[in-house]
Amino acid sequence: TRVMFKSTDARNKPVAITGAYLEPEKKWTGKGKRPLVVVGAGTMGQGDQCSPSMGLQHPIALDLSEESMSAGYEILSVYRLLDKGVAVMLSDYVGLGTTDRDHTYMNRLDQGHALNDAARAALNLSGTTITTSSKIGFYGYSQGGGASGAAAELQPSYAPELNLAGAYVGAPPADLVKTIDGIDGSALAVALAWTINGMMVHAPELAPKIDQYMNDKGKALLQDSKTRCVGDGFIKYAFTKTKDLTKDGSTLAQVLNKEPQLKALVD
């Protein structure tokens, strides 16, 4: 069941998020009511066509005219849970699958809120076998691990009515400053562009600060990456070094050290 639900962004404003609920065919044989696991996807990209819920319908999507390729790899996680009789809510993130803004990649509050509100949305659907007494879990790896961890941290204050049993927090990029050094020049270098774009959605007043450092190549990459998925991000931007995207040859990590406002936002 494809859904759109209301959440709250990092600036405490309402935001619409998409997702999909999956009711298992298998019976739940454990104790109590059928449980619900909310899956936060790993990195999919920043284009709306990359949304995790779309990946359920189109596990492999290839658009040659747009040079876009996406893979719904979280379908593996989803079906392992369904095979245990666990209900699944697969949540897209803020700006991923909706067209009102760019995806706020790695924004802790946006991602944590998205998973909590996805659980609320699933519990409000009719015709399911989950109830308000169902135990709830959060699951995610990489970006999804960050989302799952944030959701668990925020749940007691943000969604205290949820019957949260636990969270699987796999490989969360918890310290983004250290993660930047690890990704810079790697196969997933495009993720740094997604991070910067997401930061500018959250704090648009910092866009001029970022713009003053970027050269033409860097500006073009930031703009183009907004519509890219992981597949085409690999193909087009693998092993890109951020020092080649700035006017003075500074790496992104060095730029952050020069600009306390940007460093504080990443922290």
Side-chain angles (χ1 to χ4, degrees):
T1 302
R2 191 178 296 251
V3 298
M4 180 181 283
F5 55 92
K6 179 183 176 183
S7 188
T8 307
D9 68 16
R11 291 197 163 195
N12 207 34
K13 301 292 185 183
V15 61
I17 299 178
T18 51
Y21 172 80
L22 296 99
E23 174 81 13
E25 291 187 352
K26 285 201 171 182
K27 290 184 178 180
W28 168 247
T29 58
K31 294 180 180 179
K33 297 290 186 181
R34 188 191 298 277
L36 168 72
V37 169
V38 180
V39 173
T43 296
M44 294 289 181
Q46 204 155 37
D48 290 321
Q49 77 277 16
C50 321
S51 66
S53 64
M54 283 292 287
L56 295 174
Q57 187 174 348
H58 305 286
I60 299 293
L62 182 64
D63 186 339
L64 295 178
S65 65
E66 298 292 335
E67 298 181 326
S68 177
M69 181 178 71
S70 61
Y73 59 82
E74 287 296 357
I75 201 168
L76 300 172
S77 310
V78 167
Y79 277 91
R80 285 181 68 86
L81 290 163
L82 294 174
D83 190 52
K84 299 293 185 183
V86 176
V88 176
M89 181 71 177
L90 180 64
S91 175
D92 300 332
Y93 296 117
V94 173
L96 190 59
T98 53
T99 57
D100 65 319
R101 69 191 75 189
D102 295 327
H103 169 38
T104 51
Y105 183 68
M106 288 313 305
N107 185 303
R108 171 182 172 269
L109 291 174
D110 279 8
Q111 294 181 165
H113 291 168
L115 266 58
N116 276 287
D117 286 315
R120 287 168 160 163
L123 293 171
N124 275 290
L125 288 173
S126 60
T128 74
T129 56
I130 55 174
T131 72
T132 53
S133 62
S134 293
K135 288 185 177 180
I136 293 171
F138 297 127
Y139 169 93
Y141 191 89
S142 191
Q143 180 187 6
S148 179
E153 291 173 338
L154 295 168
Q155 180 269 331
S157 59
Y158 183 74
E161 79 282 7
L162 296 180
N163 185 21
L164 182 64
Y168 175 76
V169 182
D175 187 331
L176 290 185
V177 176
K178 290 182 179 178
T179 305
I180 285 170
D181 283 333
I183 292 179
D184 199 341
S186 75
L188 194 59
V190 68
L192 296 180
W194 294 331
T195 305
I196 295 170
N197 288 335
M199 286 168 51
M200 288 193 286
V201 173
H202 172 66
E205 66 275 8
L206 295 180
K209 185 80 69 176
I210 294 172
D211 190 62
Q212 75 182 29
Y213 281 97
M214 305 302 288
N215 59 26
D216 289 343
K217 181 180 177 180
K219 292 175 183 178
L221 191 155
L222 288 180
Q223 186 61 35
D224 182 64
S225 66
K226 292 179 180 181
T227 62
R228 295 295 170 195
C229 302
V230 167
D232 30 312
F234 278 141
I235 293 169
K236 291 196 72 173
Y237 299 117
F239 312 117
T240 297
K241 296 181 179 179
T242 56
K243 67 180 181 64
D244 297 327
L245 307 177
T246 59
K247 295 175 182 175
D248 63 358
S250 296
T251 66
L252 180 56
Q254 290 169 337
V255 170
L256 291 180
N257 287 328
K258 296 177 188 177
E259 298 291 344
Q261 278 184 296
L262 294 177
K263 178 73 158 42
L265 181 58
V266 173
D267 284 339

PDB file of all heavy atoms in Angstrom, residues 26 185 267:
ATOM      1  N   LYS A  26       2.591 -14.431   5.421  1.00  0.00           N
ATOM      2  CA  LYS A  26       2.883 -15.418   6.457  1.00  0.00           C
ATOM      3  C   LYS A  26       2.278 -14.988   7.793  1.00  0.00           C
ATOM      4  O   LYS A  26       2.216 -13.796   8.114  1.00  0.00           O
ATOM      5  CB  LYS A  26       4.398 -15.594   6.605  1.00  0.00           C
ATOM      6  CG  LYS A  26       5.018 -16.399   5.482  1.00  0.00           C
ATOM      7  CD  LYS A  26       6.350 -16.984   5.909  1.00  0.00           C
ATOM      8  CE  LYS A  26       6.865 -17.957   4.871  1.00  0.00           C
ATOM      9  NZ  LYS A  26       8.141 -18.574   5.289  1.00  0.00           N
ATOM     10  N   GLY A 185      37.033  11.199  -2.896  1.00  0.00           N
ATOM     11  CA  GLY A 185      37.853  10.459  -3.847  1.00  0.00           C
ATOM     12  C   GLY A 185      37.485   8.990  -3.974  1.00  0.00           C
ATOM     13  O   GLY A 185      38.156   8.252  -4.688  1.00  0.00           O
ATOM     14  N   ASP A 267      28.367  19.102  12.194  1.00  0.00           N
ATOM     15  CA  ASP A 267      28.397  18.475  13.525  1.00  0.00           C
ATOM     16  C   ASP A 267      26.996  18.188  14.038  1.00  0.00           C
ATOM     17  O   ASP A 267      26.742  17.159  14.659  1.00  0.00           O
ATOM     18  CB  ASP A 267      29.125  19.378  14.521  1.00  0.00           C
ATOM     19  CG  ASP A 267      30.644  19.348  14.346  1.00  0.00           C
ATOM     20  OD1 ASP A 267      31.160  18.369  13.746  1.00  0.00           O
ATOM     21  OD2 ASP A 267      31.303  20.289  14.821  1.00  0.00           O
TER      22      ASP A 267
END
